[in-house]
Amino acid sequence: MDPKNNKNPYGLENATDVPADQEDYSLEEILAEFGGSLEQMLLKGTEAAEEASPPPPQPPVPPPPQPVPPRARPLPPEKEPPKPAPVPPPPPEEAPEPAEKPALEEAPAPKETPAPEEEPRLEDILADPSLREPASPTVELDILDMALPKAPRPVSLEDMVGSTVDAVMEESSEPLLPPKRRGLFSRKPLEETEQLYAPPEPEPEPDPEPIGPEPELFREAAEHRTAYRRCRRLLPAAAVVSLVPTLLLALERFGIAVPGWSGDPRRQTYVLLACLAVTALLCRHVFFKGARLLVRGRCTGELLIALSALVSAADCVCCLMENQRTETLPYASVSCLALTFALWGCQRESGGMYDTFRSASLDDDPPYLVTDTPQGACKQRGDVPGFYTAAIRDNGAVLWQTAFLPLVLAASMVFAGLSSLGQKRVDDFFLNWSAILAAGASFALPLGWGLAYGNLARHLQKAGCAVAGWFGAERISRRKKMILTDADLFPPGTMQLGGVKVFGEVLSVALSYAASMARAAGSGLERLFDELLRAELGSYEEVSGFAFYEEGGWSATIRGESILMGTASFMRKMDVRLPGDINLKTGLFLSVDHHLIAVFAIKYNASENVDFALRMMTRSRVCPILASRDPNIVPELLRRKFHKGVKVEFPDLTTRVALSEAELDRGLPRALIFREGLLPYAEAVVGSRRMCKAVRRSTVFSLLGSAAGTLLTFYLVFLQQYALLTPLALELFLLLWTLPVLLMVDWAGRY
């Protein structure tokens, strides 16, 4: 463009002289960017327009500067072609800078878009002079701007540096995003298809079991001994008195006349009432125990038997009175026998508590205790506190009876009302209630727990251990598993050293290394090597980096040397060369820096008590868990040394080490052991399991007998079949339900 002429190559004059950054570009520059064919066509049209129209004359005096109006892009009408716009006056050479931006940079106002077929094309506008010649340069440039993109504007170096610095500052202020993960055989980023949840919170540790104030165990033993002796002294007299009416009824049943008894119902009632009163006086402990448990919210067999005795006494009084009561003997003889059985149960329970507390009071710091773990029963070292709290808790029979016997008591009252008041026989209410309640208060109810626990406590007292009542027995026998360690299976004296062979090392040094490794492992070999080390006047070494191996061995560092100790298979897997002439099934090999220095031949002797304990556990289905640290003590060794039928659970190495460490814990005592060896430990767990099983079965059986007696008696009294429901027949019925219970509870102490 010629600045003097102020005219572009196409014959169009500039309206104003704008700055460089707002200057319009020439048509050649635009066409140079978009190909030659379109450029030639536009040049031909431009030359023809210049020849047809002469250049406009220059004005003599330039008009005053005026602001340039904003350009608007013309839109063609829908039907008529666009009219040429008037040519504005030529601008002066130097025009002031416009206050507003050029119209080229403003967005066009939204208008209705014309139909595509009526819109003029760019080629028609450029080829037709009639359409292009009268148009103003502004309109022509607007058309070109619509058709062609703008060329890039020049950018100064300062603007480029400033924009670069700003971009760098923005990138540094943005947070760094983690790199996208890519798959192993794919370039696409991996997508999370699963919803990740937060890891579960650790379960809160259970609250420690509260231990209340505990009295001295020997004082508790003395109190239970007094109660036991009192019940034992009163029991024979109560049995004799309660059998008197039963014997008289049996003689009368077989047709044997008894002077002063036969043929006189009133005299028989006096005798029955007197026997009931004497029996109740002798069995007063039954009333005391029932009332004491009732205060604690417990409904047991002792309470029902005591109520049955009171109702039978009331029936005897009603029988002596002149009323419309049915002529039949009262059921006082049944209540007398029930009181005697209840007193027997109290005596055996007191005897069991006496044996338990007497054994527990022998030593304030017993050698061992048995506690419960999630894996099973575990023998630990602990203290006596907590034993009394567990021993005095309610037993399983009391808990089951408390849930069921209130229903029996309520049913007996309802059934008595239906069979007497419902049939308008008011005077037979106590007669029917005494019969139904006597059948519901079965003889077996107070015997299930008392006899079973008494038998177990007596047996364990002889074996040198004690169990903390129902709670302790149920806890240690719940899992039906026992954790056994090296000392349980092979106690001191059962492991012997058969021989030692040293390779290029002093015997004292080899024993020092072996004893130090055995002590660090905490195995049963520690005592054996300790005796050998003392005999050789050796000393223990400091062990660091000790580790167990699943293959059957240990490793550690002593004096900066790598020490390996274990079985022959372990040494071969650790690349330690062994002599070919050594074949030991229970030998231990010691190496220093993978060089064999000593071989120890260990001999394991089976103990008769351990063999008997393993057989007893197998019969009772109590599975032993072998938590040994000695690499030689494996299930195969137990099958060779003990009976072949022994079955043990042999977990992995990590579990075995953890279970063996549980022996060092101090849990709450469920049982106390005062003798060494596996037999007392096994008797405590196996006996507890058998006792709990016997109590459960006897309790269920007695409750079933109570329910059956209640329903059957109600049926008979409702039909007024007193000839079938005689006192002697009811006693025989209850005795038949008691016989299986006696067999079950006696089974608890035989194993």
Side-chain angles (χ1 to χ4, degrees):
M1 181 181 293
D2 190 2
K4 295 181 180 182
N5 298 331
N6 197 19
K7 188 181 300 182
N8 55 24
Y10 308 105
L12 298 178
E13 298 179 354
N14 291 337
T16 58
D17 189 7
V18 296
D21 57 347
Q22 300 180 2
E23 184 179 1
D24 296 333
Y25 297 95
S26 63
L27 184 60
E28 291 85 355
E29 296 176 355
I30 298 173
L31 296 177
E33 298 290 335
F34 296 95
S37 59
L38 182 60
E39 178 183 0
Q40 294 175 1
M41 182 179 64
L42 293 177
L43 287 176
K44 291 180 181 181
T46 306
E47 292 176 358
E50 289 180 354
E51 293 177 358
S53 59
Q58 296 290 339
V61 179
Q66 297 179 359
V68 179
R71 304 183 211 174
R73 299 181 184 269
L75 295 176
E78 297 182 357
K79 297 181 180 181
E80 298 180 358
K83 297 180 180 181
V87 180
E93 296 181 358
E94 295 180 2
E97 185 176 356
E100 299 179 358
K101 295 183 179 181
L104 292 175
E105 299 181 2
E106 294 183 3
K111 293 184 179 181
E112 185 178 358
T113 305
E117 61 274 8
E118 298 180 359
E119 182 180 0
R121 297 180 301 172
L122 178 62
E123 292 81 358
D124 299 337
I125 297 175
L126 296 176
D128 192 356
S130 61
L131 296 177
R132 186 185 71 253
E133 186 177 12
S136 64
T138 305
V139 175
E140 186 173 355
L141 289 177
D142 291 342
I143 296 172
L144 293 176
D145 290 342
M146 295 173 58
L148 302 176
K150 294 183 179 181
R153 297 180 180 180
V155 181
S156 63
L157 181 61
E158 296 179 357
D159 296 340
M160 183 180 299
V161 173
S163 61
T164 304
V165 173
D166 294 340
V168 172
M169 295 298 293
E170 291 179 0
E171 291 179 359
S172 61
S173 62
E174 293 180 357
L176 296 177
L177 298 177
K180 296 182 178 180
R181 297 182 299 171
R182 297 185 179 274
L184 184 60
F185 303 103
S186 175
R187 295 185 178 181
K188 296 182 180 180
L190 297 177
E191 297 181 0
E192 298 290 347
T193 58
E194 296 182 0
Q195 184 178 2
L196 299 180
Y197 297 92
E201 299 181 357
E203 297 182 359
E205 297 183 358
D207 297 335
E209 183 180 337
I211 300 178
E214 297 186 342
E216 297 181 355
L217 295 181
F218 73 91
R219 296 185 182 277
E220 288 295 320
E223 293 182 3
H224 286 285
R225 179 184 59 184
T226 303
Y228 167 71
R229 291 180 176 178
R230 186 183 297 115
C231 293
R232 187 181 62 176
R233 186 177 63 251
L234 297 176
L235 182 60
V240 171
V241 175
S242 61
L243 287 176
V244 169
T246 303
L247 182 59
L248 294 176
L249 291 174
L251 293 176
E252 186 179 8
R253 173 68 179 80
F254 289 104
I256 301 176
V258 179
W261 169 263
S262 301
D264 192 351
R266 192 175 185 85
R267 189 179 301 171
Q268 292 175 352
T269 304
Y270 277 116
V271 173
L272 291 176
L273 183 58
C275 292
L276 180 60
V278 174
T279 305
L281 182 62
L282 295 174
C283 301
R284 56 186 179 274
H285 296 285
V286 178
F287 292 86
F288 296 156
K289 182 179 179 180
R292 184 173 65 253
L293 293 176
L294 182 61
V295 172
R296 294 171 47 193
R298 301 290 186 264
C299 181
T300 59
E302 289 82 3
L303 179 62
L304 257 68
I305 291 174
L307 290 177
S308 174
L310 296 178
V311 174
S312 297
D315 182 46
C316 291
V317 174
C318 293
C319 184
L320 295 175
M321 299 174 60
E322 297 294 337
N323 49 25
Q324 301 297 325
R325 178 184 176 277
T326 303
E327 295 183 0
T328 183
L329 288 178
Y331 295 93
S333 61
V334 182
S335 300
C336 291
L337 285 179
L339 288 174
T340 303
F341 278 103
L343 183 62
W344 185 25
C346 293
Q347 178 219 354
R348 296 300 301 274
E349 183 179 1
S350 300
M353 298 300 288
Y354 166 59
D355 292 333
T356 298
F357 288 126
R358 180 178 60 172
S359 300
S361 62
L362 293 177
D363 191 357
D364 295 337
D365 189 12
Y368 303 101
L369 61 84
V370 182
T371 186
D372 57 310
T373 63
Q375 292 76 22
C378 179
K379 185 171 68 173
Q380 300 177 353
R381 297 183 181 272
D383 301 326
V384 174
F387 184 83
Y388 173 80
T389 302
I392 63 174
R393 289 195 174 187
D394 293 332
N395 55 78
V398 170
L399 298 177
W400 284 42
Q401 291 175 11
T402 303
F404 184 79
L405 291 185
L407 300 177
V408 175
L409 179 60
S412 64
M413 297 180 63
V414 173
F415 292 161
L418 292 176
S419 59
S420 58
L421 302 179
Q423 295 183 353
K424 298 181 180 181
R425 293 187 290 118
V426 181
D427 296 335
D428 291 342
F429 176 77
F430 284 104
L431 173 63
N432 296 346
W433 192 14
S434 63
I436 298 173
L437 191 57
S442 176
F443 298 162
L445 288 176
L447 300 179
W449 162 250
L451 269 64
Y453 184 62
N455 294 340
L456 176 65
R458 181 181 299 175
H459 184 86
L460 295 181
Q461 193 270 335
K462 297 177 182 179
C465 50
V467 175
W470 165 266
F471 183 77
E474 195 271 336
R475 283 300 184 91
I476 64 177
S477 63
R478 177 187 302 176
R479 300 285 180 179
K480 297 186 293 184
K481 293 182 179 180
M482 294 173 54
I483 300 175
L484 304 184
T485 58
D486 301 346
D488 296 328
L489 296 171
F490 296 96
T494 58
M495 290 185 292
Q496 297 177 356
L497 184 63
V500 180
K501 190 173 182 180
V502 183
F503 300 90
E505 189 59 80
V506 182
L507 178 59
S508 61
V509 177
L511 288 176
S512 177
Y513 285 174
S516 301
M517 294 289 288
R519 171 178 285 188
S523 67
L525 298 171
E526 178 182 356
R527 182 173 298 184
L528 175 63
F529 282 105
D530 182 73
E531 295 176 356
L532 296 175
L533 186 63
R534 292 177 184 273
E536 294 293 332
L537 301 179
S539 61
Y540 286 96
E541 301 291 343
E542 183 179 356
V543 179
S544 61
F546 186 86
F548 291 89
Y549 286 84
E550 185 70 35
E551 290 78 7
W554 315 316
S555 70
T557 302
I558 299 177
R559 295 182 181 179
E561 298 175 331
S562 177
I563 309 298
L564 296 175
M565 188 174 180
T567 60
S569 61
F570 170 71
M571 289 296 175
R572 294 189 184 96
K573 292 180 180 179
M574 301 302 292
D575 297 332
V576 178
R577 183 174 297 177
L578 302 179
D581 57 345
I582 297 179
N583 186 13
L584 295 176
K585 293 184 178 180
T586 57
L588 287 179
F589 298 80
L590 180 65
S591 69
V592 177
D593 293 336
H594 293 269
H595 294 284
L596 184 67
I597 66 170
V599 178
F600 302 94
I602 309 298
K603 185 178 181 181
Y604 296 86
N605 299 319
S607 175
E608 294 182 0
N609 291 337
V610 175
D611 184 67
F612 180 77
L614 292 176
R615 292 176 182 269
M616 179 175 58
M617 295 166 61
T618 303
R619 291 193 301 268
S620 300
R621 298 181 180 179
V622 176
C623 179
I625 303 176
L626 186 57
S628 61
R629 297 194 176 193
D630 190 340
N632 286 322
I633 301 179
V634 292
E636 289 76 11
L637 177 65
L638 300 182
R639 295 188 186 96
R640 291 199 309 265
K641 297 297 180 179
F642 304 102
H643 67 283
K644 297 182 179 180
V646 60
K647 296 181 180 179
V648 297
E649 181 178 339
F650 192 65
D652 58 282
L653 177 62
T654 305
T655 306
R656 294 201 307 270
V657 174
L659 294 179
S660 61
E661 289 179 352
E663 189 177 8
L664 304 177
D665 298 338
R666 289 183 174 269
L668 292 177
R670 312 303 184 193
L672 302 177
I673 300 176
F674 301 94
R675 291 171 56 185
E676 295 286 345
L678 179 61
L679 186 58
Y681 177 30
E683 285 188 346
V685 178
V686 173
S688 298
R689 169 170 167 75
R690 295 175 69 91
M691 188 267 294
C692 292
K693 186 183 296 185
V695 170
R696 293 191 186 99
R697 292 180 178 179
S698 61
T699 303
V700 171
F701 199 84
S702 61
L703 292 176
L704 289 177
S706 177
T710 301
L711 296 176
L712 181 60
T713 307
F714 166 65
Y715 175 74
L716 293 177
V717 299
F718 189 82
L719 299 179
Q720 300 183 16
Q721 297 294 328
Y722 297 104
L724 298 176
L725 189 62
T726 61
L728 193 62
L730 184 57
E731 291 177 8
L732 183 60
F733 173 81
L734 296 177
L735 288 174
L736 291 177
W737 279 93
T738 307
L739 182 61
V741 175
L742 296 178
L743 297 177
M744 292 177 187
V745 297
D746 184 68
W747 175 71
R750 299 181 182 274
Y751 52 89

